[in-house]
Amino acid sequence: MRLTARLCVALIFSVACVSLVFAYFQTQEQTRNLRQDLEHEASVLAESLAKSVEPLVANHSYKELQRLVDRFQDREKIAGIAVYNPASAPLAVSAGLTSRLKQRPTPVAQALEDGFTHSRFLELDNVPTHVVAMPLRDGATLLGILAVFHDSSYIDYQTMALWRRALIGVAIQTALIAGITLLTIRLGLARPLYRMTQWLREQRIGAPDGSPASVDVPPERDLGEFEPLSREVTRLASSLAAARAAAAEEARLRESAESNWTSERLRVFIKSRLNGDRLFVVSNREPYEHIRTSKGVECVVPASGLVTALEPVLRACDGTWIAQATGAADRETADDAGRLRVPPDHPQYTLRRVWLTPEEEKGFYLGFANEGLWPLCHVAHTRPQFRVEDWEHYRTVNQKFAAALLEEIADEEDPVVLVQDYHFALLPRLIKDRRRDARVAIFWHIPWPNPEAFAICPWQRELLNGLSGADLIGFHIQAHCNNFLETVDSTLESRIDWARFAISRGGHSTFVRPIPISVGLENQEITNAEPVHLERAELLKKLGVHASFLGIGVDRIDYTKGIPERFRGIERFLELSPSYRGEFTFVQIGSPSRTQIARYHNLMDEVIEEAERINKRFQTSDWKPIILLTRQHSHEEILPYYRTADVCLVTSLHDGMNLVAKEFVAARRDDQGVLVLSRFTGASHELLDALIVNPYDTEELAQSIHRALEMSGEERRMRMQRMRVIVRERNIYRWAGGLIGELCEIRPAAAALRPTLVRSATGQPAGLRRVANPPS
């Protein structure tokens, strides 16, 4: 009973406080609006009257002037009108104002002094009044001042009325909520609590007949069956809390029209765009994989910005994610068709796994995708390798994924399909040939080269034919869109509409758009437990070095990332700035990648040898310039380096976007740190306050490191603040909303002869104009 009473009192107090706070802001807003409306009305009236008053004052027609001001004496809300000469003497005053104007109002004095219009709320004879004083002129000559007085006491009356209604509403709401809560506690919890009490009593003393108490579930620990019950109740409570938070966030977003994108805003946006339809996502990497550990089968989430962006969408529409099965225990956790509901704790959408043979994975992924397309699209001076057997596997895997997708959308009307990256260039056409009503988009996460470079590929026509089956193709930057359209124009028989950035081919239109991907800023903002310099000292201590300045680089060991060039830039910096020897340490976090490919294996050896050579040249007993960490690091492990580094080096030789640059910016809540960024990354088109460099220019790179370390704190702060605004506003959720929002506004081919793209609500770049009804 005491618990119930305390709960009710706390609830009443909380509801009352929240309601009063909202009532306060509502009344303040109404008062502000009423004042603004009155000021506007007074200004309009004064401007209108001034045209009539100025000739009378100029001609000294004071009787006519008095009749004019008396005419406004009894009008609603108008307290009266007064006209003053340049010496502040009244020329005409409304009869009702004469006794109240004991002295010259302040706005009149101000208008006489500077010749501009002034307005103010004040009290005349204890009556709230608004005064606007407007100069009267005959050309450049000041004739006098026109003062318009309004009775503003009605604003106080309306404010008090709103407060009364709000307080009555608070009382009624509080009483209802308290009553319903008390009734719910009594009726809804008494019986379950009694049963729980009986169950606990039986567990403690046994059944009434003296036999051991029966349990439905064998006890896992000493807690018996209460342990799984407690776990499920905890999960249920978490789910309900998430549902309430989602509902509250949805209401808040609709009410405030918040400009920044969040996972909840994305969920609400996509829910309205899909209008009850489901979304189907295809990617090579799965969002959840099951692995075997010493504790049994565990579900893990691979680190991926794609999962962060697309999960809120799939959860909102109960969608399906089709991906390659990569976990050792994936098959035993899915049904016969490869389906399972995810996330495991609170299933909200379907994961459809596709299994590849080792030969298919080698030819499709390691072969054609990463030894062919990857170096082809990244102009980084590594020769692409194209083998017939790899192409056959690439085509087979695309057909296998197409079959799985067609099976999933068999019962869907106008399905919405989102394909990810260069692994599935053939998929859009395979889907469109079978389902003309499907809306298909593909996002190409890597650069697109110029037509001459892409012509190296023996199967360029097949790849372009596959991609042009999509309704929408997304790239990171406009230059990649231009390269793609030029490649299609020079390779396929088609019509390129440069005004709409569209490809018309075989009665089908494909729109090409720049939609830059990003990160989720709010997920990066982790409060530091200690000052940056102390956290940095702790990191360096763990690494076994003493230094005053810290640099960081985070990359896969890939020849496109420019890691050897970066090391040579650091070497040159230490040659040019010997004072930083023993003071500056650069930590390179380099996770191994595609080591089965000879070029990557050799690159790993090259990176290690370069680091050892430079360290051998400069290191001391307790310091070395480069620390190379060649293992996979979680995002939580990398964050302390982002938060504490003085400089982050992103020196890619060619990159579609490079999210490391944005992750570093997102992590810097202290608005410090300097980003040195390659001009050959997509991120350099957005993060203009980074120090933009040519990674091939060793001298420029060395000078940029020196400039970053010598930069003043104020300049660092201003540069980082501007970059953080960009990352916050153009985050991962805006990317997903822009991509899917654009796709949802395309009419399927089954519904119209040609798709029509209208302006997206997500605010894409103004340079790309859309038309509501394009000409045939």
Side-chain angles (χ1 to χ4, degrees):
M1 186 65 182
R2 286 196 297 267
L3 178 61
T4 302
R6 288 198 300 270
L7 181 60
C8 286
V9 170
L11 188 61
I12 291 171
F13 179 77
S14 302
V15 171
C17 288
V18 172
S19 300
L20 287 173
V21 169
F22 277 101
Y24 170 77
F25 284 110
Q26 186 178 2
T27 55
Q28 291 294 311
E29 180 67 17
Q30 174 154 328
T31 301
R32 184 162 51 253
N33 291 338
L34 289 172
R35 282 173 168 255
Q36 290 174 352
D37 291 342
L38 180 57
E39 289 177 337
H40 178 71
E41 291 176 10
S43 297
V44 171
L45 177 60
E47 290 175 358
S48 176
L49 281 174
K51 296 177 182 178
S52 301
V53 171
E54 284 174 348
L56 298 177
V57 175
N59 297 326
H60 304 290
S61 303
Y62 298 131
K63 290 184 179 180
E64 290 293 327
L65 182 62
Q66 184 62 47
R67 281 195 291 270
L68 177 63
V69 299
D70 285 339
R71 213 178 297 161
F72 290 88
Q73 174 63 36
D74 298 321
R75 294 199 180 183
E76 183 182 5
K77 293 192 292 188
I78 299 179
I81 296 173
V83 180
Y84 297 85
N85 64 17
S88 298
L91 299 177
V93 181
S94 297
L97 278 179
T98 306
S99 60
R100 295 169 58 188
L101 285 176
K102 298 176 182 179
Q103 58 183 4
R104 181 182 60 181
T106 303
V108 174
Q110 293 173 333
L112 284 170
E113 182 179 346
D114 59 17
F116 293 98
T117 300
H118 290 271
S119 65
R120 187 172 180 178
F121 286 91
L122 44 78
E123 287 197 1
L124 289 181
D125 210 13
N126 296 324
V127 176
T129 305
H130 175 264
V131 183
V132 58
M134 178 175 291
L136 302 172
R137 299 182 183 277
D138 183 8
T141 305
L142 179 66
L143 300 175
I145 300 297
L146 170 65
V148 180
F149 298 79
H150 280 80
D151 185 347
S152 62
S153 58
Y154 73 95
I155 296 178
D156 294 338
Y157 297 143
Q158 291 191 26
T159 301
M160 292 302 297
L162 183 61
W163 265 113
R164 283 194 296 271
R165 290 195 299 270
L167 291 174
I168 293 172
V170 169
I172 293 174
Q173 291 175 15
T174 303
L176 285 175
I177 291 174
I180 293 172
T181 302
L182 184 59
L183 188 63
T184 302
I185 290 174
R186 287 186 175 275
L187 297 181
L189 295 182
R191 183 174 297 177
L193 285 175
Y194 176 77
R195 290 178 177 175
M196 180 64 73
T197 302
Q198 288 297 105
W199 176 79
L200 288 173
R201 184 173 181 275
E202 288 180 5
Q203 298 302 313
R204 182 171 62 87
I205 63 174
D209 60 359
S211 61
S214 62
V215 292
D216 296 330
V217 180
E220 294 180 345
R221 288 188 247 172
D222 295 339
L223 292 176
E225 66 178 359
F226 185 73
E227 174 65 24
L229 177 60
S230 175
R231 186 166 57 248
E232 291 303 320
V233 169
T234 301
R235 289 176 179 173
L236 178 60
S238 300
S239 300
L240 292 175
R244 292 191 195 98
E249 181 72 4
E250 180 176 347
R252 184 183 67 80
L253 289 170
R254 287 175 174 169
E255 180 67 21
S256 63
E258 182 176 321
S259 60
N260 287 338
W261 284 82
T262 64
S263 61
E264 283 306 318
R265 181 183 176 187
L266 174 63
R267 188 184 65 82
V268 173
F269 174 81
I270 295 303
K271 198 171 183 179
S272 66
R273 286 297 183 274
L274 291 177
N275 196 26
D277 295 336
R278 299 171 65 210
L279 175 71
F280 298 84
V281 172
V282 182
S283 70
N284 181 59
R285 177 178 293 184
E286 60 179 337
Y288 294 90
E289 64 180 11
H290 289 83
I291 60 174
R292 291 189 182 89
T293 67
S294 58
K295 299 179 181 179
V297 174
E298 291 186 3
C299 182
V300 297
V301 181
S304 171
L306 198 62
V307 177
T308 302
L310 295 181
E311 263 220 322
V313 181
L314 289 166
R315 292 187 183 201
C317 65
D318 190 18
T320 297
W321 191 318
I322 302 171
Q324 180 189 351
T326 55
D330 278 355
R331 193 178 292 274
E332 61 193 79
T333 53
D335 64 15
D336 293 340
R339 300 187 187 96
L340 71 156
R341 298 287 290 174
V342 292
D345 291 342
H346 185 45
Q348 292 178 287
Y349 68 94
T350 300
L351 171 60
R352 169 69 185 271
R353 288 168 170 162
V354 177
W355 278 273
L356 305 182
T357 66
E359 293 76 19
E360 287 174 337
E361 184 172 2
K362 180 180 178 181
F364 153 74
Y365 180 74
L366 295 176
F368 191 80
N370 288 305
E371 286 190 284
L373 288 180
W374 179 270
L376 175 68
C377 292
H378 289 85
V379 183
H381 311 298
T382 292
R383 191 179 197 174
Q385 296 184 27
F386 294 104
R387 295 178 283 266
V388 173
E389 58 271 23
D390 290 343
W391 165 250
E392 292 299 329
H393 285 304
Y394 185 86
R395 189 167 58 182
T396 299
V397 170
N398 272 253
Q399 291 170 346
K400 183 176 287 190
F401 271 83
L405 178 60
L406 289 168
E407 186 178 327
E408 295 298 322
I409 65 176
D411 299 327
E412 298 290 327
E413 183 178 350
D414 298 336
V416 181
V417 180
L418 179 56
V419 182
Q420 295 298 319
D421 225 352
Y422 61 100
H423 308 93
F424 301 107
L426 305 179
L427 194 58
R429 177 65 64 188
L430 293 172
I431 298 302
K432 209 69 174 180
D433 286 346
R434 296 286 299 276
R435 291 293 301 267
R436 294 284 292 171
D437 63 323
R439 283 174 287 185
V440 182
I442 181 169
F443 191 85
W444 195 267
H445 288 265
I446 61 177
W448 189 276
N450 58 49
E452 292 77 14
F454 196 78
I456 295 173
C457 179
W459 300 280
Q460 60 167 328
R461 294 182 61 85
E462 288 86 344
L463 292 171
L464 292 172
N465 179 59
L467 287 168
S468 63
D471 298 294
L472 176 67
I473 303 176
F475 293 95
H476 288 301
I477 60 175
Q478 185 64 52
H480 298 160
C481 298
N482 297 342
N483 286 346
F484 177 77
L485 291 175
E486 290 171 0
T487 303
V488 173
D489 194 25
S490 64
T491 307
L492 300 180
E493 292 184 4
S494 60
R495 182 171 64 86
I496 306 300
D497 187 342
W498 289 99
R500 295 188 303 151
F501 281 87
I503 304 165
S504 296
R505 185 168 180 263
H508 173 70
S509 291
T510 302
F511 295 90
V512 182
R513 294 288 181 264
I515 310 174
I517 198 170
S518 189
V519 297
L521 183 63
E522 71 278 2
N523 292 334
Q524 312 289 339
E525 295 189 347
I526 300 176
T527 303
N528 293 338
E530 56 186 8
V532 169
H533 68 279
L534 295 178
E535 189 176 13
R536 178 170 55 217
E538 184 65 24
L539 286 175
L540 292 171
K541 183 179 179 181
K542 291 180 180 178
L543 296 172
V545 296
H546 294 281
S548 301
F549 300 94
L550 176 64
I552 182 64
V554 180
D555 306 90
R556 289 183 301 105
I557 303 296
D558 189 293
Y559 50 80
T560 67
K561 303 303 180 181
I563 299 175
E565 289 78 5
R566 184 181 308 167
F567 287 176
R568 287 190 281 273
I570 295 170
E571 179 183 27
R572 183 58 178 157
F573 160 69
L574 293 174
E575 290 174 352
L576 296 174
S577 306
S579 62
Y580 280 98
R581 298 177 190 177
E583 298 293 327
F584 174 77
T585 290
F586 182 79
V587 177
Q588 175 63 54
I589 297 177
S591 59
S593 175
R594 305 165 187 163
T595 52
Q596 303 95 319
I597 299 175
R599 178 68 182 91
Y600 286 86
H601 183 79
N602 296 335
L603 176 67
M604 174 66 82
D605 292 339
E606 180 185 353
V607 168
I608 294 174
E609 289 172 3
E610 273 295 276
E612 291 177 346
R613 180 186 65 79
I614 297 171
N615 282 337
K616 185 177 181 180
R617 180 181 175 188
F618 293 107
Q619 70 182 10
T620 64
S621 59
D622 61 351
W623 171 83
K624 54 184 176 181
I626 297 176
I627 295 177
L628 180 61
L629 305 177
T630 56
R631 69 169 178 84
Q632 186 73 40
H633 285 68
S634 68
H635 190 67
E636 288 70 25
E637 291 177 301
I638 297 172
L639 267 177
Y641 292 97
Y642 283 152
R643 290 198 301 262
T644 60
D646 297 285
V647 58
C648 176
L649 300 185
V650 177
T651 57
S652 304
L653 306 182
H654 201 188
D655 231 332
M657 175 55 66
N658 194 294
L659 292 181
V660 168
K662 294 186 175 183
E663 286 178 352
F664 174 70
V665 171
R668 295 315 295 248
R669 293 190 63 190
D670 60 349
D671 294 330
Q672 292 297 309
V674 180
L675 175 63
V676 176
L677 181 60
S678 166
R679 68 179 59 182
F680 304 122
T681 63
S684 66
H685 294 258
E686 297 181 273
L687 304 179
L688 302 180
D689 282 285
L691 299 183
I692 308 299
V693 299
N694 178 354
Y696 294 97
D697 189 338
T698 304
E699 291 292 324
E700 181 185 26
L701 181 54
Q703 292 168 6
S704 295
I705 297 172
H706 184 269
R707 180 184 173 190
L709 297 177
E710 294 289 329
M711 188 179 294
S712 68
E714 180 62 20
E715 183 180 355
R716 288 197 305 268
R717 182 184 64 79
M718 293 179 65
R719 285 174 175 268
M720 186 57 69
Q721 284 180 346
R722 289 192 290 262
M723 289 192 291
R724 281 176 62 79
V725 168
I726 291 171
V727 173
R728 181 182 294 107
E729 292 179 351
R730 307 176 191 177
N731 59 25
I732 186 72
Y733 305 114
R734 181 186 177 188
W735 171 80
L739 183 61
I740 301 172
E742 293 257 15
L743 179 61
C744 289
E745 289 167 355
I746 296 175
R747 290 188 298 172
L753 292 177
R754 296 181 62 183
T756 302
L757 190 58
V758 298
R759 187 163 190 79
S760 171
T762 57
Q764 292 303 306
L768 299 180
R769 299 183 59 84
R770 288 109 167 133
V771 293
N773 293 294
S776 300

